[in-house]
């Protein structure tokens, strides 16, 4: 694949198409307009474009492509993931959206962000999944909600088995969506009751981490693998099998698994689908399991430090934020109320 280098290699690198017309268009914009913008604007612009391209490289996606469908797919996944990040403000999301849209325009490439579909999808995600501002978190998938889902749905068909496995494993391991997408069959250790997470958002060393997995989740995984016909036989290369993704896409009729791993949007839809089937009447998102597990631990007296370790956070700051409301029910005034029978 030919690479088209952006202006003087200072602005960006286009990695998904060939054709000098796009390079020339970007160079012209850079020479005549971009260099005249305020320095802070230039730095923010370069940073936003670099972040998007790094995401695409990390996830095997094409960024600025002449194929509108490829660009739409990468942009959609990027912004869905970005909106779920506790460290990214809505203003930053909107700024990056504007930067990517502007770059597509200056490069004279198809711009999916001009479509109502993609704009509405991103806007809806920001509006309805405003998880991190006080009082507006998406509903945590706490233990009682998970038990209700597991009691109503049974893993006796491939779709339900896979989806139940997804939410149970994500709850046990306090997994983010990108972590769940990467889990392989070999990452499940049945004997030790652990999941190996190859790469985490806060893992600066790249060594990965181990998370908990329950017997319930293992039983649901077994049901899913049986229905998916993912088993070890004489003609199967066991080492190769263990390296394949655990959670995969399904065929249009939902009767067989595909070779491709599950995607972020699919995980998002799984939480919404199961909440609806279980009549929970709450808004669950793909981050609900991680937050819900933290809240459940806080409600049961688990320390912030142990919650931090369970979820692989770098500090107790984020789990403390998630569990702040839960801590109120066990805090000082709650204890006094019990003593005084209030």
């Amino acid at each position: 694949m030919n690479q088209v280098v952006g202006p003087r290699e200072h602005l960006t690198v286009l990695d998904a198409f060939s054709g000098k017309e796009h390079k020339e268009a970007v160079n012209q914009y850079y020479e005549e307009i971009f260099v005249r913008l305020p320095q802070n604007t230039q730095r923010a612009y370069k940073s936003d474009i670099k972040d998007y391209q790094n995401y695409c490289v990390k996830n095997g996606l094409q960024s600025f492509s002449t194929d509108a469908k490829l660009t739409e797919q990468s942009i959609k996944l990027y912004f869905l993931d970005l909106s779920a990040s506790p460290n990214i403000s809505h203003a930053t999301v909107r700024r990056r959206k504007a930067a990517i849209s502007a770059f597509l325009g200056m490069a004279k490439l198809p711009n999916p962000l001009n479509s109502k579909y993609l704009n509405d999808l991103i806007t809806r995600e920001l509006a309805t999944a405003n998880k991190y501002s006080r009082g507006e978190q998406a509903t945590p998938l706490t233990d009682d909600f998970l038990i209700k889902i597991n009691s109503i749905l049974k893993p006796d068909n491939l779709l339900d088995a896979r989806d139940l496995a997804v939410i149970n494993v994500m709850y046990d391991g306090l997994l983010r969506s990108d972590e769940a997408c990467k889990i392989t069959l070999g990452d499940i250790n049945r004997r030790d009751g652990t999941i190996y997470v190859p790469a985490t958002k806060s893992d600066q060393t790249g060594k990965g981490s181990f998370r908990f997995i329950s017997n319930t989740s293992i039983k649901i995984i077994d049901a899913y693998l049986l229905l998916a016909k993912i088993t070890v036989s004489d003609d199967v290369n066991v080492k190769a099998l263990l390296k394949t993704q655990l959670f995969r896409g399904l065929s249009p009729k939902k009767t067989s698994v595909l070779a491709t791993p599950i995607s972020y949007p699919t995980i998002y839809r799984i939480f919404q689908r199961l909440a609806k089937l279980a009549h929970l009447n709450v808004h669950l998102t793909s981050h609900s399991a991680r937050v819900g597990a933290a809240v459940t631990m806080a409600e049961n007296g688990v320390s912030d430090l142990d919650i931090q370790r369970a979820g692989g956070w770098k500090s107790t700051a984020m789990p403390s934020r998630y569990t702040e409301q839960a801590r109120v029910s066990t805090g000082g005034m709650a204890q006094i109320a019990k003593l005084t029978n209030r």
Side-chain angles (χ1 to χ4, degrees):
M1 183 179 295
N2 294 329
Q3 290 187 329
V4 179
V5 179
R8 297 179 182 175
E9 297 188 341
H10 291 308
L11 187 56
T12 190
V13 174
L14 305 183
D15 59 357
F17 62 90
S18 59
K20 66 178 183 178
E21 59 180 299
H22 306 289
K23 176 183 175 181
E24 291 175 349
V26 175
N27 279 333
Q28 182 180 12
Y29 186 94
Y30 181 83
E31 298 287 352
E32 298 178 9
I33 300 174
F34 187 81
V35 294
R36 299 180 181 179
L37 297 176
Q39 287 297 316
N40 287 342
T41 301
Q42 292 186 39
R43 281 194 293 270
Y45 195 98
K46 293 175 184 178
S47 175
D48 291 341
I49 296 300
K50 182 178 179 180
D51 188 80
Y52 167 58
Q53 288 193 301
N54 286 343
Y55 176 88
C56 290
V57 171
K58 179 181 177 182
N59 292 278
L61 302 168
Q62 293 191 30
S63 52
F64 299 107
S65 173
T66 54
D67 187 328
K69 291 184 178 179
L70 292 178
T71 305
E72 179 182 282
Q73 176 72 354
S74 65
I75 289 176
K76 178 169 69 175
L77 293 175
Y78 174 67
F79 280 104
L80 287 175
D81 210 10
L82 200 65
S83 298
S85 172
N87 301 316
I88 301 296
S89 68
H90 287 191
T92 298
V93 173
R94 289 190 288 269
R95 192 194 70 223
R96 290 185 181 174
K97 178 171 169 281
I100 292 171
S101 182
F103 191 85
L104 288 166
M106 74 173 74
K108 298 182 179 179
L109 287 166
N111 186 358
L113 286 168
N114 287 333
S115 73
K116 179 175 175 57
Y117 160 73
L118 197 53
N119 270 294
D120 286 355
L121 179 67
I122 296 171
T123 299
R124 183 179 183 277
E125 176 70 4
L126 287 173
T128 62
N130 186 15
K131 312 172 188 65
Y132 306 107
S133 59
R134 290 178 183 268
E136 297 182 9
Q137 289 187 2
T139 305
L141 178 69
T142 48
D143 190 54
D144 55 333
F145 282 155
L146 185 62
I147 289 173
K148 185 173 182 180
I149 291 174
N150 287 344
S151 66
I152 292 178
L153 279 82
K154 302 300 179 184
D156 54 7
N157 65 83
L158 183 57
L159 177 62
D160 286 350
R162 184 203 62 178
D163 291 359
L164 283 171
V166 167
I167 65 167
N168 278 272
V169 170
M170 289 183 68
Y171 176 86
D172 286 347
L174 287 84
L175 300 181
R176 303 177 180 93
S177 293
D178 63 328
E179 294 167 349
C181 291
K182 295 174 184 176
I183 291 175
T184 67
L185 290 167
D187 291 330
I188 306 295
N189 189 318
R190 297 165 181 270
R191 185 189 66 182
D192 295 340
T194 61
I195 314 168
Y196 174 69
V197 182
T200 65
K201 192 174 183 180
S202 57
D203 180 15
Q204 302 298 321
T205 65
K207 294 180 179 179
S209 64
F210 291 92
R211 308 285 177 82
F212 171 77
I213 186 169
S214 66
N215 291 330
T216 296
S217 291
I218 290 177
K219 290 178 181 178
I220 297 174
I221 287 174
D222 286 341
Y224 158 61
L225 295 178
L226 181 64
L227 291 166
K229 299 178 181 179
I230 303 175
T231 57
V232 176
S233 61
D234 292 339
D235 59 344
V236 170
N237 184 322
V238 177
K239 289 185 178 180
L241 180 66
L242 292 177
K243 291 180 181 180
T244 60
Q245 266 70 32
L246 172 63
F247 300 126
R248 309 184 198 177
L250 302 182
S251 63
K253 293 184 178 180
K254 315 301 181 186
T255 56
S256 61
V257 293
L258 305 176
T260 54
I262 199 170
S263 66
Y264 175 94
T266 299
I267 290 179
Y268 183 88
R269 289 192 293 268
I270 285 172
F271 279 83
Q272 294 189 317
R273 186 181 85 87
L274 295 189
K276 184 177 181 180
L277 290 176
H279 307 291
L280 297 183
N281 296 319
V282 295
H283 176 69
L284 296 182
T285 75
S286 52
H287 211 70
S288 289
R290 182 168 169 83
V291 178
V295 169
T296 298
M297 284 189 280
E299 290 176 341
N300 286 275
V302 178
S303 70
D304 282 344
L305 180 59
D306 284 337
I307 295 174
Q308 173 200 337
R309 291 168 176 166
W313 281 286
K314 290 186 291 186
S315 71
T316 61
M318 191 54 66
S320 293
R321 184 175 180 182
Y322 289 150
T323 61
E324 180 180 5
Q325 186 172 350
R327 296 290 187 197
V328 172
S329 63
T330 59
M333 285 308 298
Q335 295 178 41
I336 293 297
K338 289 181 180 179
L339 290 173
T340 58
N341 295 319
R342 288 190 55 140

